[in-house]
Amino acid sequence: MTDADLLARPQDVKEIQAGPKGRHKTVQVTVGNVKVGGGAPIVVQSMTNTDTADVESTVTQVAALARAGSEMVRITVDREEAAAAVPHIREKLDKMGVDVPLIGDFHYIGHKLLAEYPDCAAALAKYRINPGNVGFKNKRDSQFTDIVEIAIKNNKAIRIGANWGSLDQELLTRLMEDNAKSPNPIDARAVTREAMVQSALLSAKRAEEIGLPKDKMILSAKVSNVQDLIAVYRELASRSDYAIHLGLTEAGMGSKGIVASSAALGILLQDGIGDTIRVSLTPEPGGDRTLEVKVGQEILQTMGFRTFVPLVAACPGCGRTTSTVFQELARDIQSFIRDEMPNWKTRYPGVEQLNVAVMGCIVNGPGESKHANIGISLPGTGETPAAPVFVDGQKFRTLRGPTIAADFKALVIDYIDQRYGANAKVTAAE
């Protein structure tokens, strides 16, 4: 076979397409001041792990999550003390200027808490209920109805969230029995996936019958296995146009949780499925809860759906980069950018589009740096102790000496001020 044969393009080969598929069309839901679905940007949300009855600690964590970029925050409302605390949490957040919508997470006695604590029902922007935990047997329909009617009265949205670990057992049992009688039975795992989808859809239909419109409903069907999650959400999306919340439940701790969530959510988002996401990471003891917000943002940004913070490209290092200078500089620049973003968002419109490159040697350093808005190629082992800096594709300056890192950081700040400060002046003039 010749080179020409290898490069020839068969007639039946389609043009290579880059980028995600079109978004799955859903009905838009308003949650507080946030739009979900209907073509709105995919929303990142998180959940507190404080005792909601502890107003101060919950307010502190909600505010931290909001500052990190969580556009909605869910809080547990599991008992009377928690329900009583909700309006005080909302009031304190409002006084701090933190207007992030609060979502109440209800299980088992949500109907009772919402009825007995009307200020809680009013303070929340959305109620999250699980069809498997609303009630049991004869009480199920009445308690579900109570919650929906309270949502209608208060003009609130509801997320109907089926969960693999607390599935409607009556529905699952019926589907298992029907499957056993079928001439072509499917495996039990597939039946359970179908039960997840039906649980969400049947509950949504019932809510509509009670009077809750589609633009007040978000559905989810969360499991902890990546392949199951992909299968369930693809089926849910194919059978409805409700707004969809994505999340791999009990994703795990550290790299396992990050990788599993990224793999599952990445595939579904590429399919166009998902209007709001949460990355459910188990934090290290005393760990930073905001990590799950950052991971959610990075999934959306690296896939090209949204931009939140400037991207810092850095090489992984090899035998050519035995010095730790480029690693330390990449870390410092990344941390500096994240820390400054809350202030930069107001001062420098569009700064989240910035791309910075911190490269470790001559192999790919100059080339990658030219592709960034501003980049530096540090000297590798045995290379001339000089670091060329590139600005918008052109060599701008060469840094030398022990202050290379500090000098480059200063250049990044100058670049942001000159490029995005102009945007702020134009906005102010308009």
Side-chain angles (χ1 to χ4, degrees):
M1 183 178 288
T2 67
D3 289 350
D5 293 328
L6 288 171
L7 296 175
R9 185 166 177 262
Q11 294 300 312
D12 60 345
V13 174
K14 295 181 180 180
E15 190 74 32
I16 296 173
Q17 298 294 323
K21 297 180 182 178
R23 292 276 300 278
H24 169 57
K25 293 182 179 179
T26 57
V27 176
Q28 189 167 94
V29 180
T30 300
V31 181
N33 57 0
V34 176
K35 304 292 184 184
V36 179
I42 299 167
V43 174
V44 175
Q45 61 177 279
S46 184
M47 184 177 184
T48 60
N49 60 357
T50 58
D51 178 1
T52 306
D54 183 343
V55 173
E56 294 301 327
S57 64
T58 302
V59 166
T60 298
Q61 191 172 84
V62 170
L65 290 168
R67 282 194 298 270
S70 185
E71 293 158 302
M72 298 190 289
V73 177
R74 183 155 49 109
I75 59 177
T76 299
V77 187
D78 58 344
R79 63 192 196 281
E80 292 186 358
E81 293 82 358
V86 170
H88 300 293
I89 293 168
R90 180 72 273 167
E91 181 181 8
K92 285 181 175 291
L93 289 169
D94 289 341
K95 288 181 178 178
M96 295 168 62
V98 179
D99 62 354
V100 63
L102 294 178
I103 303 163
D105 193 57
F106 294 99
H107 296 275
Y108 307 111
I109 60 171
H111 64 292
K112 179 175 181 289
L113 296 175
L114 286 167
E116 295 181 0
Y117 292 87
D119 289 346
C120 168
L124 295 168
K126 185 176 74 173
Y127 314 149
R128 188 271 187 179
I129 58 175
N130 181 339
N133 290 341
V134 171
F136 302 98
K137 297 188 180 296
N138 296 333
K139 293 183 178 180
R140 184 188 308 276
D141 287 345
S142 64
Q143 293 178 181
F144 180 81
T145 299
D146 289 345
I147 294 174
V148 173
E149 288 180 341
I150 292 170
I152 294 170
K153 178 183 176 181
N154 287 277
N155 195 31
K156 304 296 183 180
I158 286 180
R159 170 156 75 93
I160 296 174
N163 193 292
W164 190 271
S166 50
L167 193 53
D168 181 342
Q169 291 303 304
E170 292 179 36
L171 173 62
L172 179 60
T173 299
R174 176 171 59 79
L175 291 178
M176 286 291 187
E177 290 174 349
D178 291 345
N179 182 61
K181 298 174 185 176
S182 171
N184 298 300
I186 57 178
D187 66 76
R189 202 168 191 90
V191 176
T192 305
R193 292 197 294 264
E194 174 62 19
M196 290 278 292
V197 175
Q198 287 198 23
S199 178
L201 292 177
L202 290 171
S203 296
K205 181 181 178 182
R206 175 59 181 150
E208 282 194 77
E209 291 171 350
I210 296 168
L212 190 70
K214 272 189 174 182
D215 64 1
K216 292 294 182 184
M217 269 186 279
I218 298 173
L219 301 190
S220 68
K222 299 175 74 174
V223 304
S224 57
N225 177 278
V226 170
Q227 294 298 340
D228 286 326
L229 190 88
I230 294 167
V232 166
Y233 272 104
R234 281 175 170 169
E235 191 64 26
L236 184 63
S238 72
R239 288 154 67 173
S240 75
D241 61 354
Y242 295 100
I244 289 179
H245 167 81
L246 289 187
L248 186 76
T249 191
E250 289 93 38
M253 182 180 287
S255 61
K256 184 269 178 185
I258 294 172
V259 171
S261 291
S262 300
L265 271 59
I267 290 171
L268 289 167
L269 291 167
Q270 189 73 9
D271 282 349
I273 300 169
D275 300 300
T276 174
I277 67 169
R278 182 197 171 196
V279 177
S280 302
L281 297 180
T282 303
E284 297 284 348
D288 186 357
R289 188 67 167 182
T290 64
L291 176 61
E292 64 178 42
V293 180
K294 296 173 185 176
V295 173
Q297 289 183 329
E298 287 170 5
I299 290 172
L300 294 178
Q301 182 153 343
T302 55
M303 293 191 69
F305 288 102
R306 292 187 65 181
T307 52
F308 297 95
V309 297
L311 289 176
V312 178
C315 68
C318 65
R320 291 176 174 271
T321 56
T322 52
S323 166
T324 60
V325 174
F326 87 94
Q327 298 165 333
E328 293 165 355
L329 181 56
R331 178 198 61 199
D332 291 348
I333 291 291
Q334 184 82 63
S335 298
F336 173 69
I337 285 172
R338 273 213 170 266
D339 291 344
E340 292 296 323
M341 272 307 292
N343 179 40
W344 285 354
K345 282 182 180 179
T346 56
R347 291 179 57 197
Y348 302 118
V351 70
E352 64 273 8
Q353 303 285 346
L354 177 71
N355 285 305
V356 181
V358 180
M359 305 304 293
C361 78
I362 198 171
V363 174
N364 292 318
E368 288 288 348
S369 296
K370 288 178 182 178
H371 288 299
N373 296 119
I374 180 168
I376 186 170
S377 178
L378 293 160
T381 304
E383 294 177 10
T384 302
V389 174
F390 297 84
V391 173
D392 293 328
Q394 302 297 319
K395 186 174 179 180
F396 175 72
R397 184 178 300 173
T398 298
L399 302 179
R400 293 182 174 84
T403 62
I404 285 177
D407 293 343
F408 180 67
K409 185 175 176 181
L411 290 175
V412 171
I413 295 171
D414 287 344
Y415 182 89
I416 290 171
D417 188 59
Q418 291 175 25
R419 176 166 180 173
Y420 299 101
N423 292 349
K425 292 176 183 177
V426 170
T427 302
E430 293 175 348

